Amino acid sequence: MSNSSSSVPHERFARLRELIESSPNTVRFGLKLVTYPIRFVAFWVAVALPFLYLPLLYGGLQGGQATVFASLLVLNVGALLLGHDHSRDD
């Protein structure tokens, strides 16, 4: 019972390369299928995240709250960058 498991990854990469070269529309659809949920979540995180600023700003930034506020700002900018193309037609 011997397996030639070392050739399996090579066969998979060859099949993937063949798939990419033969059907670029399928690959493009697959890429959209992967990126759509990421953009969807990032868009809505960018919309909802500013509501977390309100309690921090209302009470004043004391101690470690300034770090939390800065982290929320960085997270919001990242979400804006990832989600800015959500629901745009290509």
Side-chain angles (χ1 to χ4, degrees):
M1 297 184 94
S2 65
N3 285 340
S4 60
S5 62
S6 63
S7 66
V8 171
H10 296 294
E11 292 171 5
R12 288 183 182 169
F13 286 128
R15 176 71 180 127
L16 181 61
R17 187 178 309 127
E18 178 184 319
L19 179 66
I20 290 171
E21 291 171 355
S22 66
S23 56
N25 289 334
T26 304
V27 172
R28 193 171 298 128
F29 175 75
L31 187 60
K32 283 184 181 182
L33 193 64
V34 170
T35 59
Y36 180 80
I38 295 169
R39 287 184 176 166
F40 174 81
V41 169
F43 175 81
W44 287 109
V45 166
V47 169
L49 203 57
F51 291 106
L52 295 177
Y53 301 160
L54 298 176
L56 288 172
L57 293 175
Y58 179 73
L61 299 177
Q62 301 166 357
Q65 290 180 342
T67 305
V68 172
F69 183 73
S71 300
L72 286 173
L73 280 176
V74 169
L75 185 63
N76 198 1
V77 168
L80 284 169
L81 291 174
L82 282 175
H84 78 280
D85 280 340
H86 172 63
S87 292
R88 286 196 180 169
D89 294 331
D90 290 331

Coordinates of all heavy atoms in Angstrom, one line a residue:
M1 N 0.8 -1.2 0.0 CA 0.0 0.0 0.0 C 0.9 1.2 0.0 O 1.2 1.8 1.0 CB -0.9 0.0 1.2 CG -1.9 -1.1 1.3 SD -2.9 -0.9 2.7 CE -4.3 -0.1 1.9
S2 N 1.3 1.6 -1.1 CA 2.1 2.8 -1.2 C 1.3 3.9 -1.9 O 0.6 3.7 -2.9 CB 3.4 2.6 -2.0 OG 3.1 2.2 -3.3
N3 N 1.4 5.1 -1.4 CA 0.8 6.2 -2.0 C 1.8 7.1 -2.6 O 2.9 7.3 -2.0 CB 0.0 7.0 -0.9 CG -1.2 6.4 -0.5 OD1 -1.8 5.5 -1.2 ND2 -1.7 6.7 0.7
S4 N 1.5 7.7 -3.7 CA 2.4 8.7 -4.3 C 1.8 10.1 -3.9 O 1.4 10.9 -4.7 CB 2.5 8.5 -5.8 OG 1.2 8.7 -6.3
S5 N 1.8 10.4 -2.6 CA 1.2 11.6 -2.1 C 2.0 12.8 -2.5 O 1.5 13.9 -2.5 CB 1.0 11.6 -0.6 OG 2.3 11.4 0.0
S6 N 3.3 12.6 -2.9 CA 4.1 13.8 -3.2 C 3.7 14.3 -4.6 O 3.9 15.5 -4.9 CB 5.6 13.4 -3.3 OG 5.8 12.4 -4.2
S7 N 3.0 13.5 -5.4 CA 2.6 14.0 -6.7 C 1.2 14.7 -6.7 O 0.8 15.4 -7.6 CB 2.6 12.9 -7.8 OG 1.6 11.9 -7.4
V8 N 0.5 14.5 -5.6 CA -0.9 15.0 -5.5 C -0.8 16.5 -5.5 O -1.6 17.1 -6.3 CB -1.6 14.5 -4.2 CG1 -2.9 15.2 -4.0 CG2 -1.8 13.0 -4.4
P9 N 0.0 17.2 -4.7 CA 0.0 18.7 -4.8 C 0.4 19.2 -6.2 O -0.2 20.2 -6.7 CB 1.0 19.1 -3.8 CG 1.1 18.0 -2.8 CD 0.9 16.8 -3.7
H10 N 1.3 18.5 -6.9 CA 1.7 19.0 -8.2 C 0.5 18.8 -9.2 O 0.3 19.7 -10.1 CB 2.9 18.2 -8.7 CG 4.1 18.4 -7.9 ND1 4.8 19.6 -7.9 CD2 4.8 17.5 -7.1 CE1 5.8 19.5 -7.1 NE2 5.8 18.3 -6.6
E11 N -0.3 17.7 -9.1 CA -1.4 17.5 -9.9 C -2.5 18.6 -9.6 O -3.1 19.1 -10.5 CB -2.0 16.1 -9.7 CG -1.1 15.0 -10.2 CD -1.6 13.7 -9.8 OE1 -2.7 13.6 -9.2 OE2 -0.9 12.7 -10.0
R12 N -2.7 18.9 -8.4 CA -3.7 20.0 -8.0 C -3.3 21.3 -8.5 O -4.1 22.1 -9.0 CB -3.8 20.0 -6.5 CG -4.6 18.8 -5.9 CD -4.8 19.0 -4.5 NE -5.5 17.8 -4.0 CZ -5.6 17.5 -2.7 NH1 -5.2 18.3 -1.8 NH2 -6.2 16.4 -2.3
F13 N -2.0 21.7 -8.4 CA -1.5 23.0 -9.0 C -1.7 23.0 -10.5 O -2.0 24.0 -11.1 CB -0.1 23.3 -8.5 CG 0.0 23.7 -7.1 CD1 0.9 23.0 -6.3 CD2 -0.8 24.7 -6.6 CE1 1.0 23.4 -4.9 CE2 -0.7 25.1 -5.2 CZ 0.2 24.4 -4.4
A14 N -1.4 21.9 -11.1 CA -1.5 21.8 -12.6 C -3.0 22.0 -13.0 O -3.3 22.7 -13.9 CB -1.0 20.5 -13.1
R15 N -3.9 21.4 -12.2 CA -5.3 21.5 -12.5 C -5.8 22.9 -12.3 O -6.6 23.4 -13.1 CB -6.1 20.5 -11.7 CG -7.6 20.6 -11.8 CD -8.0 20.1 -13.1 NE -9.5 20.2 -13.2 CZ -10.1 20.9 -14.2 NH1 -9.4 21.3 -15.2 NH2 -11.4 21.0 -14.2
L16 N -5.3 23.5 -11.2 CA -5.7 24.9 -10.9 C -5.1 25.8 -12.0 O -5.9 26.7 -12.5 CB -5.1 25.3 -9.6 CG -5.4 26.7 -9.1 CD1 -6.9 26.9 -8.9 CD2 -4.7 27.0 -7.8
R17 N -3.9 25.7 -12.4 CA -3.4 26.5 -13.5 C -4.2 26.3 -14.8 O -4.5 27.3 -15.5 CB -1.9 26.1 -13.7 CG -1.2 27.0 -14.7 CD 0.3 26.7 -14.9 NE 1.0 26.6 -13.6 CZ 1.7 25.5 -13.3 NH1 1.8 24.5 -14.1 NH2 2.3 25.5 -12.1
E18 N -4.5 25.1 -15.1 CA -5.3 24.8 -16.3 C -6.7 25.5 -16.2 O -7.2 26.1 -17.2 CB -5.5 23.3 -16.4 CG -6.4 22.9 -17.6 CD -6.6 21.4 -17.6 OE1 -5.6 20.6 -17.3 OE2 -7.7 20.9 -17.9
L19 N -7.3 25.4 -15.0 CA -8.6 26.1 -14.8 C -8.5 27.6 -15.0 O -9.3 28.2 -15.6 CB -9.1 25.7 -13.4 CG -10.5 26.3 -13.0 CD1 -11.6 25.8 -13.9 CD2 -10.7 26.1 -11.6
I20 N -7.5 28.2 -14.4 CA -7.3 29.6 -14.6 C -7.1 30.0 -16.0 O -7.7 31.0 -16.5 CB -6.1 30.1 -13.7 CG1 -6.5 30.0 -12.2 CG2 -5.7 31.5 -14.0 CD1 -5.4 30.2 -11.3
E21 N -6.3 29.3 -16.7 CA -6.0 29.6 -18.1 C -7.1 29.4 -19.0 O -7.3 30.1 -20.0 CB -4.7 28.9 -18.6 CG -3.5 29.3 -17.9 CD -2.3 28.4 -18.2 OE1 -2.5 27.4 -18.9 OE2 -1.2 28.7 -17.8
S22 N -7.9 28.4 -18.7 CA -9.0 28.0 -19.7 C -10.3 28.8 -19.4 O -11.1 29.0 -20.3 CB -9.3 26.5 -19.5 OG -9.9 26.2 -18.3
S23 N -10.5 29.3 -18.2 CA -11.8 30.0 -18.0 C -11.5 31.2 -17.0 O -11.8 31.1 -15.8 CB -12.8 29.0 -17.4 OG -12.2 28.4 -16.2
P24 N -11.1 32.3 -17.5 CA -10.8 33.4 -16.7 C -12.1 34.0 -16.1 O -12.1 34.6 -15.0 CB -10.2 34.4 -17.6 CG -10.5 34.0 -19.0 CD -10.7 32.5 -18.9
N25 N -13.3 33.8 -16.7 CA -14.5 34.3 -16.2 C -14.9 33.5 -14.9 O -15.5 34.1 -14.0 CB -15.6 34.2 -17.2 CG -15.5 35.2 -18.3 OD1 -14.9 36.3 -18.1 ND2 -16.0 34.9 -19.5
T26 N -14.6 32.2 -14.9 CA -14.9 31.4 -13.8 C -14.1 31.8 -12.6 O -14.6 31.9 -11.5 CB -14.7 29.9 -14.1 OG1 -15.5 29.5 -15.2 CG2 -15.0 29.0 -12.9
V27 N -12.8 32.1 -12.8 CA -11.9 32.5 -11.8 C -12.4 33.9 -11.3 O -12.4 34.2 -10.0 CB -10.5 32.6 -12.3 CG1 -9.6 33.2 -11.2 CG2 -10.0 31.2 -12.6
R28 N -12.8 34.8 -12.1 CA -13.2 36.1 -11.7 C -14.5 36.0 -10.9 O -14.6 36.6 -9.9 CB -13.5 37.0 -13.0 CG -13.7 38.4 -12.7 CD -13.8 39.3 -13.9 NE -12.5 39.2 -14.6 CZ -12.4 38.9 -15.9 NH1 -13.5 38.7 -16.7 NH2 -11.3 38.9 -16.5
F29 N -15.4 35.1 -11.3 CA -16.6 34.8 -10.5 C -16.2 34.3 -9.1 O -16.8 34.7 -8.1 CB -17.5 33.8 -11.2 CG -18.7 33.5 -10.4 CD1 -19.8 34.4 -10.2 CD2 -18.8 32.2 -9.8 CE1 -20.9 34.0 -9.5 CE2 -19.9 31.9 -9.0 CZ -20.9 32.8 -8.9
G30 N -15.3 33.3 -9.1 CA -14.8 32.8 -7.8 C -14.2 33.8 -6.9 O -14.4 33.8 -5.7
L31 N -13.5 34.7 -7.5 CA -12.9 35.8 -6.7 C -13.9 36.7 -6.2 O -13.9 37.2 -5.0 CB -11.9 36.6 -7.6 CG -11.1 37.7 -6.9 CD1 -10.2 37.1 -5.8 CD2 -10.2 38.4 -7.9
K32 N -14.9 37.0 -7.0 CA -16.1 37.8 -6.5 C -16.8 37.1 -5.3 O -17.2 37.8 -4.4 CB -17.0 38.2 -7.6 CG -16.6 39.2 -8.5 CD -17.7 39.5 -9.5 CE -17.2 40.6 -10.5 NZ -18.3 40.9 -11.5
L33 N -16.9 35.8 -5.5 CA -17.6 35.0 -4.5 C -16.9 35.1 -3.1 O -17.5 35.1 -2.1 CB -17.7 33.6 -5.0 CG -18.7 32.7 -4.2 CD1 -20.1 33.2 -4.4 CD2 -18.6 31.3 -4.8
V34 N -15.6 35.2 -3.2 CA -14.8 35.3 -2.0 C -14.8 36.7 -1.4 O -14.9 36.9 -0.2 CB -13.4 34.8 -2.2 CG1 -12.5 35.1 -1.0 CG2 -13.4 33.3 -2.6
T35 N -14.6 37.7 -2.3 CA -14.5 39.0 -1.8 C -15.8 39.7 -1.4 O -15.8 40.6 -0.6 CB -13.8 39.9 -2.8 OG1 -14.5 39.9 -4.0 CG2 -12.4 39.4 -3.1
Y36 N -16.9 39.3 -1.9 CA -18.2 39.9 -1.6 C -18.5 39.9 -0.1 O -18.8 41.0 0.4 CB -19.3 39.3 -2.4 CG -20.7 40.0 -2.1 CD1 -21.0 41.2 -2.7 CD2 -21.5 39.4 -1.2 CE1 -22.2 41.8 -2.4 CE2 -22.7 40.1 -0.9 CZ -23.0 41.3 -1.5 OH -24.2 41.9 -1.2
P37 N -18.4 38.8 0.6 CA -18.7 38.8 2.0 C -17.8 39.7 2.8 O -18.2 40.3 3.8 CB -18.6 37.3 2.4 CG -18.7 36.5 1.2 CD -18.2 37.4 0.1
I38 N -16.5 39.7 2.4 CA -15.6 40.5 3.1 C -15.9 42.0 3.0 O -15.9 42.8 3.9 CB -14.1 40.2 2.6 CG1 -13.7 38.8 2.9 CG2 -13.1 41.2 3.2 CD1 -12.5 38.3 2.3
R39 N -16.2 42.4 1.7 CA -16.6 43.8 1.5 C -17.9 44.2 2.2 O -18.1 45.3 2.7 CB -16.7 44.1 0.0 CG -15.4 44.2 -0.7 CD -15.5 44.5 -2.1 NE -14.2 44.7 -2.7 CZ -13.9 44.7 -4.0 NH1 -14.9 44.6 -4.8 NH2 -12.7 44.8 -4.4
F40 N -18.9 43.2 2.2 CA -20.2 43.4 2.8 C -20.0 43.7 4.3 O -20.5 44.7 4.9 CB -21.1 42.2 2.6 CG -22.4 42.3 3.4 CD1 -23.4 43.0 2.8 CD2 -22.5 41.6 4.6 CE1 -24.6 43.0 3.5 CE2 -23.7 41.6 5.2 CZ -24.8 42.4 4.7
V41 N -19.2 42.8 5.0 CA -19.0 43.0 6.4 C -18.2 44.3 6.7 O -18.5 45.0 7.6 CB -18.3 41.7 7.0 CG1 -17.8 42.0 8.4 CG2 -19.2 40.5 6.9
A42 N -17.2 44.5 5.9 CA -16.4 45.7 6.1 C -17.2 47.0 6.0 O -17.0 48.0 6.7 CB -15.2 45.7 5.2
F43 N -18.1 47.0 5.0 CA -18.9 48.2 4.7 C -19.8 48.5 6.0 O -19.9 49.6 6.5 CB -19.8 47.9 3.5 CG -20.8 49.0 3.3 CD1 -20.4 50.2 2.6 CD2 -22.1 48.9 3.7 CE1 -21.4 51.2 2.4 CE2 -23.1 49.9 3.5 CZ -22.7 51.1 2.8
W44 N -20.5 47.4 6.5 CA -21.4 47.6 7.6 C -20.6 47.9 8.9 O -21.1 48.6 9.8 CB -22.4 46.5 7.7 CG -23.4 46.6 6.6 CD1 -23.5 45.8 5.5 CD2 -24.4 47.7 6.4 NE1 -24.5 46.3 4.7 CE2 -25.0 47.4 5.2 CE3 -24.7 48.8 7.2 CZ2 -26.1 48.2 4.8 CZ3 -25.7 49.6 6.8 CH2 -26.4 49.3 5.6
V45 N -19.4 47.3 9.0 CA -18.6 47.7 10.2 C -18.2 49.1 10.2 O -18.3 49.8 11.2 CB -17.4 46.8 10.3 CG1 -16.3 47.3 11.3 CG2 -17.8 45.3 10.7
A46 N -17.9 49.6 9.0 CA -17.5 51.0 8.8 C -18.7 51.9 9.1 O -18.6 53.1 9.6 CB -17.0 51.3 7.4
V47 N -19.9 51.5 8.8 CA -21.1 52.3 9.1 C -21.4 52.3 10.6 O -21.8 53.3 11.2 CB -22.3 51.7 8.3 CG1 -23.6 52.3 8.8 CG2 -22.1 52.0 6.8
A48 N -21.3 51.1 11.2 CA -21.8 51.0 12.6 C -20.7 51.4 13.6 O -21.0 51.8 14.7 CB -22.2 49.5 12.9
L49 N -19.5 51.3 13.3 CA -18.4 51.5 14.2 C -18.4 52.9 14.9 O -18.1 53.1 16.1 CB -17.0 51.3 13.6 CG -15.9 50.9 14.5 CD1 -16.2 49.8 15.4 CD2 -14.6 50.7 13.7
P50 N -18.7 54.0 14.1 CA -18.8 55.3 14.8 C -19.7 55.4 16.0 O -19.5 56.3 16.8 CB -19.2 56.2 13.7 CG -18.7 55.6 12.4 CD -18.9 54.1 12.7
F51 N -20.7 54.5 16.0 CA -21.6 54.6 17.2 C -20.9 54.2 18.5 O -21.4 54.5 19.6 CB -22.8 53.7 17.0 CG -23.8 54.3 15.9 CD1 -23.8 53.7 14.7 CD2 -24.5 55.4 16.2 CE1 -24.7 54.2 13.7 CE2 -25.4 55.9 15.2 CZ -25.4 55.3 14.0
L52 N -19.8 53.5 18.4 CA -19.0 53.1 19.6 C -18.2 54.3 20.0 O -17.7 54.3 21.2 CB -18.1 51.9 19.3 CG -18.8 50.6 19.0 CD1 -17.8 49.5 18.6 CD2 -19.7 50.2 20.1
Y53 N -18.0 55.3 19.2 CA -17.2 56.5 19.6 C -18.0 57.3 20.7 O -17.5 57.9 21.5 CB -16.9 57.4 18.5 CG -16.2 56.9 17.3 CD1 -16.2 57.5 16.1 CD2 -15.4 55.7 17.5 CE1 -15.5 57.0 15.0 CE2 -14.7 55.2 16.4 CZ -14.7 55.9 15.2 OH -14.0 55.4 14.1
L54 N -19.3 57.3 20.5 CA -20.2 58.2 21.3 C -20.0 58.0 22.8 O -19.8 59.0 23.5 CB -21.6 58.0 20.9 CG -22.0 58.4 19.5 CD1 -23.4 58.1 19.1 CD2 -21.6 59.9 19.2
P55 N -20.1 56.8 23.3 CA -19.9 56.6 24.8 C -18.5 57.0 25.3 O -18.3 57.6 26.3 CB -20.1 55.1 25.1 CG -20.8 54.6 23.9 CD -20.4 55.5 22.7
L56 N -17.5 56.8 24.4 CA -16.1 57.2 24.8 C -16.0 58.7 24.8 O -15.4 59.2 25.7 CB -15.1 56.6 23.8 CG -14.9 55.1 23.9 CD1 -14.0 54.6 22.7 CD2 -14.3 54.7 25.2
L57 N -16.6 59.3 23.8 CA -16.4 60.8 23.8 C -17.3 61.5 24.8 O -17.0 62.5 25.3 CB -16.8 61.3 22.4 CG -15.8 60.9 21.3 CD1 -16.3 61.3 19.9 CD2 -14.4 61.5 21.6
Y58 N -18.5 60.9 25.1 CA -19.4 61.5 26.1 C -18.7 61.5 27.5 O -18.8 62.5 28.2 CB -20.7 60.7 26.1 CG -21.7 61.2 27.2 CD1 -22.3 62.4 26.9 CD2 -21.9 60.6 28.4 CE1 -23.2 62.9 27.9 CE2 -22.8 61.1 29.3 CZ -23.4 62.2 29.0 OH -24.3 62.7 30.0
G59 N -18.1 60.4 27.9 CA -17.5 60.3 29.2 C -16.1 61.0 29.3 O -15.5 61.1 30.3
G60 N -15.6 61.4 28.1 CA -14.2 61.9 28.1 C -13.2 60.8 28.0 O -13.4 59.7 28.5
L61 N -12.1 61.0 27.3 CA -11.1 60.0 27.1 C -10.1 60.1 28.3 O -9.3 61.0 28.5 CB -10.3 60.2 25.8 CG -11.2 60.2 24.6 CD1 -10.4 60.5 23.3 CD2 -11.8 58.8 24.4
Q62 N -10.2 59.0 29.2 CA -9.4 59.0 30.4 C -8.6 57.7 30.3 O -9.1 56.6 30.0 CB -10.2 59.1 31.6 CG -11.1 60.3 31.7 CD -12.1 60.1 32.8 OE1 -12.2 59.1 33.4 NE2 -12.9 61.2 33.0
G63 N -7.3 57.8 30.7 CA -6.5 56.6 30.8 C -6.3 55.8 29.5 O -6.0 56.3 28.5
G64 N -6.7 54.5 29.6 CA -6.6 53.6 28.4 C -7.7 53.9 27.4 O -7.7 53.2 26.3
Q65 N -8.7 54.7 27.7 CA -9.7 54.9 26.7 C -9.2 55.7 25.4 O -9.8 55.5 24.4 CB -10.9 55.7 27.3 CG -11.6 54.9 28.3 CD -12.8 55.8 29.0 OE1 -12.8 57.0 28.9 NE2 -13.7 55.1 29.6
A66 N -8.2 56.4 25.6 CA -7.6 57.1 24.4 C -7.0 56.0 23.4 O -7.2 56.2 22.2 CB -6.5 58.1 24.8
T67 N -6.4 55.0 24.0 CA -5.9 53.9 23.2 C -7.0 53.2 22.5 O -7.0 52.8 21.3 CB -5.1 52.9 24.0 OG1 -4.1 53.7 24.7 CG2 -4.4 51.9 23.2
V68 N -8.1 52.9 23.2 CA -9.3 52.3 22.6 C -9.9 53.1 21.5 O -10.2 52.6 20.4 CB -10.3 52.0 23.7 CG1 -11.6 51.5 23.1 CG2 -9.8 51.0 24.7
F69 N -10.0 54.4 21.7 CA -10.5 55.3 20.7 C -9.6 55.3 19.5 O -10.2 55.2 18.4 CB -10.6 56.7 21.3 CG -11.3 57.7 20.4 CD1 -12.6 57.7 20.1 CD2 -10.5 58.7 19.7 CE1 -13.2 58.6 19.2 CE2 -11.1 59.6 18.8 CZ -12.4 59.5 18.6
A70 N -8.3 55.4 19.7 CA -7.4 55.4 18.5 C -7.5 54.0 17.8 O -7.5 54.0 16.5 CB -6.0 55.6 19.0
S71 N -7.7 52.9 18.5 CA -7.8 51.6 17.8 C -9.1 51.6 17.0 O -9.1 51.0 16.0 CB -7.8 50.5 18.9 OG -6.6 50.5 19.6
L72 N -10.2 52.1 17.6 CA -11.4 52.1 16.9 C -11.3 53.0 15.6 O -11.9 52.6 14.5 CB -12.6 52.7 17.7 CG -13.1 51.8 18.8 CD1 -14.1 52.5 19.7 CD2 -13.7 50.5 18.2
L73 N -10.6 54.1 15.7 CA -10.4 54.9 14.5 C -9.6 54.1 13.4 O -10.0 54.2 12.2 CB -9.7 56.2 14.8 CG -10.5 57.3 15.4 CD1 -9.6 58.5 15.8 CD2 -11.6 57.8 14.5
V74 N -8.6 53.4 13.8 CA -7.8 52.7 12.8 C -8.6 51.5 12.2 O -8.6 51.3 11.0 CB -6.5 52.1 13.5 CG1 -5.8 51.1 12.6 CG2 -5.6 53.2 13.9
L75 N -9.4 50.9 13.1 CA -10.3 49.8 12.6 C -11.3 50.4 11.6 O -11.6 49.8 10.6 CB -11.0 49.1 13.8 CG -11.8 47.9 13.5 CD1 -11.0 46.8 12.9 CD2 -12.5 47.5 14.7
N76 N -11.8 51.6 11.9 CA -12.8 52.2 11.0 C -12.2 52.5 9.7 O -12.8 52.3 8.6 CB -13.4 53.4 11.7 CG -14.7 53.8 11.1 OD1 -15.2 53.2 10.1 ND2 -15.3 54.9 11.6
V77 N -11.0 53.1 9.7 CA -10.3 53.4 8.4 C -10.1 52.1 7.6 O -10.3 52.1 6.4 CB -9.0 54.1 8.7 CG1 -8.2 54.2 7.4 CG2 -9.3 55.5 9.2
G78 N -9.7 51.1 8.3 CA -9.5 49.8 7.6 C -10.8 49.2 7.0 O -10.8 48.8 5.8
A79 N -11.8 49.3 7.7 CA -13.1 48.9 7.2 C -13.6 49.8 6.1 O -14.2 49.2 5.1 CB -14.2 48.9 8.4
L80 N -13.4 51.0 6.2 CA -13.7 51.9 5.0 C -13.0 51.6 3.8 O -13.5 51.5 2.7 CB -13.4 53.4 5.4 CG -14.4 54.1 6.3 CD1 -13.9 55.4 6.8 CD2 -15.8 54.3 5.7
L81 N -11.7 51.3 3.9 CA -10.9 50.9 2.7 C -11.4 49.6 2.1 O -11.4 49.4 0.9 CB -9.4 50.8 3.1 CG -8.8 52.2 3.4 CD1 -7.3 51.9 3.9 CD2 -8.8 53.1 2.2
L82 N -11.6 48.6 3.0 CA -12.1 47.3 2.5 C -13.5 47.3 1.9 O -13.8 46.6 1.0 CB -12.0 46.2 3.6 CG -10.6 45.7 4.0 CD1 -10.7 44.8 5.2 CD2 -10.0 44.9 2.8
G83 N -14.4 48.1 2.5 CA -15.8 48.0 2.1 C -16.2 49.1 1.2 O -17.4 49.2 0.9
H84 N -15.3 50.0 0.7 CA -15.8 51.1 -0.1 C -16.4 50.7 -1.4 O -17.2 51.4 -2.0 CB -14.6 52.1 -0.3 CG -13.6 51.7 -1.4 ND1 -12.6 50.8 -1.1 CD2 -13.5 52.0 -2.6 CE1 -11.9 50.6 -2.2 NE2 -12.4 51.3 -3.1
D85 N -16.1 49.5 -2.0 CA -16.6 49.1 -3.2 C -17.9 48.2 -3.1 O -18.3 47.6 -4.1 CB -15.6 48.3 -4.1 CG -14.6 49.2 -4.8 OD1 -15.0 50.4 -5.0 OD2 -13.5 48.8 -5.1
H86 N -18.4 48.0 -1.9 CA -19.5 47.2 -1.7 C -20.7 47.7 -2.5 O -21.1 48.8 -2.5 CB -19.9 47.1 -0.2 CG -21.2 46.4 0.1 ND1 -21.3 45.1 -0.2 CD2 -22.4 46.8 0.6 CE1 -22.6 44.7 0.2 NE2 -23.2 45.8 0.6
S87 N -21.4 46.7 -3.2 CA -22.6 47.0 -4.0 C -22.4 47.9 -5.2 O -23.3 48.4 -5.7 CB -23.7 47.6 -3.1 OG -24.2 46.6 -2.2
R88 N -21.1 48.0 -5.7 CA -20.9 48.7 -6.9 C -20.9 47.7 -8.0 O -20.3 46.6 -7.9 CB -19.5 49.4 -6.9 CG -19.5 50.6 -6.0 CD -18.3 51.4 -6.3 NE -18.4 52.6 -5.5 CZ -17.4 53.5 -5.4 NH1 -16.2 53.2 -6.0 NH2 -17.4 54.5 -4.6
D89 N -21.5 48.1 -9.1 CA -21.5 47.2 -10.3 C -20.1 47.3 -11.0 O -19.6 48.3 -11.1 CB -22.6 47.6 -11.3 CG -24.0 47.4 -10.7 OD1 -24.1 46.5 -9.8 OD2 -24.9 48.1 -11.1
D90 N -19.7 46.1 -11.5 CA -18.4 46.1 -12.2 C -18.6 46.3 -13.7 O -19.5 46.0 -14.3 CB -17.7 44.7 -12.0 CG -17.2 44.6 -10.5 OD1 -16.9 45.6 -9.9 OD2 -17.1 43.5 -10.0

